[in-house]
Amino acid sequence: LVAPAFRCAIAMASATLAFAQGFTDATYKLIEVDEPLLQELFADDGSVNIKGTDTDEAVLTTRDKSYVVRLADSSNTMLLVRGPVELSLPSSAAGSGMPEGTTACARAVSQIDAAASVASEADCAVEAAAPIQIQARAHEHFELVRCAPRLGRAHALLSACPYAGAAADDELCRPPTAEFEEALAPNRPDRRPTLAKLEIETQCSAHELHAAMQRYRAIEVRGRWCMLDPQFETDVVESILALAVEQDWPLDAIPLADAVSYLEPQIDETAVRHCVRTHSIAAFAPWDAWRAAATQAELALDPRAISRFRARAMLLETAAWPKDVFYEAWADGLPNGVEVCDADLEGQAVLLPADACAGPTVRALPVESMPASPAVRFGLLFGVKPAWSMRELAPYLTEMVAPGKTAEALVLQYARCVVANDGTYTYVARA
């Protein structure tokens, strides 16, 4: 590790260098880190990891951040020593306000610039000191660049065997015949990933992974995690909303135990509690609070989550709707007091403009189905619709924009901006 270099006033001090007997160019790999990451590394609590397979770009993760690890050449030779470095100041230093004989100490690795200028011989007269033993030399180091969480592996693992209820799981757990055993293996409930496996294999921090799992509405079943089967999730939420109307329960106080009691055995307790949680105001609570929410006595449903659910259910039934028909049916399907909102379609559907054959159309385009590769994702988006506003694109880019970067900068790597006569901006695929 290269700690922030403590640079001595080289023009006011000098030292004798000697190559140690075990001098090497290959023993050490250097990585540059900032102070907060250095302290997290020294804490040695397992939060700092480097993740990736042989074909991946290495990603270093902390508790809540992800960094791409890249090799950087150095224009200066770095000479590595073991222990502190002490440089004696010459007697002329007294006039500079520094005590004669003062020494400077670097706590970890000291970097000495090969091209540094040296003061005149008279100014560099120093007391005799033991030579500094150079243990190794380095011409390059690894640097860390903040990156967006790479969630493709987590999504693939979570979606491999969706949960469609306890009965469906029991059926899948029956021993397969020998000829189908290998083909069915990834789709068996007992092959679903544990949280530990997801944290190990996904190239992002635990915090970023947990946030993504909440967005995916992932469910834990017998200690393993997966997504819900879309039709099963629709049936469960429909049943909960119908029960709330039947029992005259206010949407801001759904009694979980009562809901479970009424809906079992058709729907298992795990699914009922989970679906109330993922459509409640606790849906995006901190991870520990989110996991605990399913055990609470009551939960308040989020009107916006209910609105998004209704739109999602309609688009699952029919992928493309005339705009007017869709909005009318959407409004009719919502509980009293919940109104439709265009923002609730973001990341779920896109509005296609009218053409010679049809009027404006609402088409399903869930962000969860998008490929992880930016190039492939943009190709798919522009295949669906040739021109996009930034507002329309934004929901499909959120997970790909690195911290400190903008969505527009990412878009312009794969698209060009077109300015209309009225001053509006749209983005189209590069030729």
Side-chain angles (χ1 to χ4, degrees), residues 307-316 326 330 344-345 348:
S307 174
R308 288 179 61 81
F309 158 74
R310 176 57 60 204
R312 187 167 64 247
M314 292 172 59
L315 293 166
L316 181 64
F326 178 83
W330 187 14
D344 294 334
L345 288 180
Q348 297 201 111

Side-chain angles (χ1 to χ4, degrees), residues 1 26 32 67 70 88 91 99 110 119 122 150 152 236 245 326 337 357:
L1 292 172
E32 184 177 10
Y67 302 83
R70 290 179 177 155
S88 298
S91 57
S110 298
R150 301 187 175 185
V236 175
V245 172
F326 178 83
C357 300

Side-chain angles (χ1 to χ4, degrees), residues 281-297:
I281 60 175
F284 296 102
W287 177 249
D288 290 338
W290 179 80
R291 296 190 69 176
T295 64
Q296 294 182 12

Side-chain angles (χ1 to χ4, degrees), residues 12 90-98:
M12 298 182 61
S91 57
S92 60
S96 66
M98 302 177 69

Side-chain angles (χ1 to χ4, degrees), residues 1-4 38 42 80-85 105-111:
L1 292 172
V2 178
L38 185 64
F42 285 159
L80 310 183
V81 303
R82 181 173 286 111
V85 173
C105 176
R107 291 187 298 117
V109 179
S110 298
Q111 175 176 315

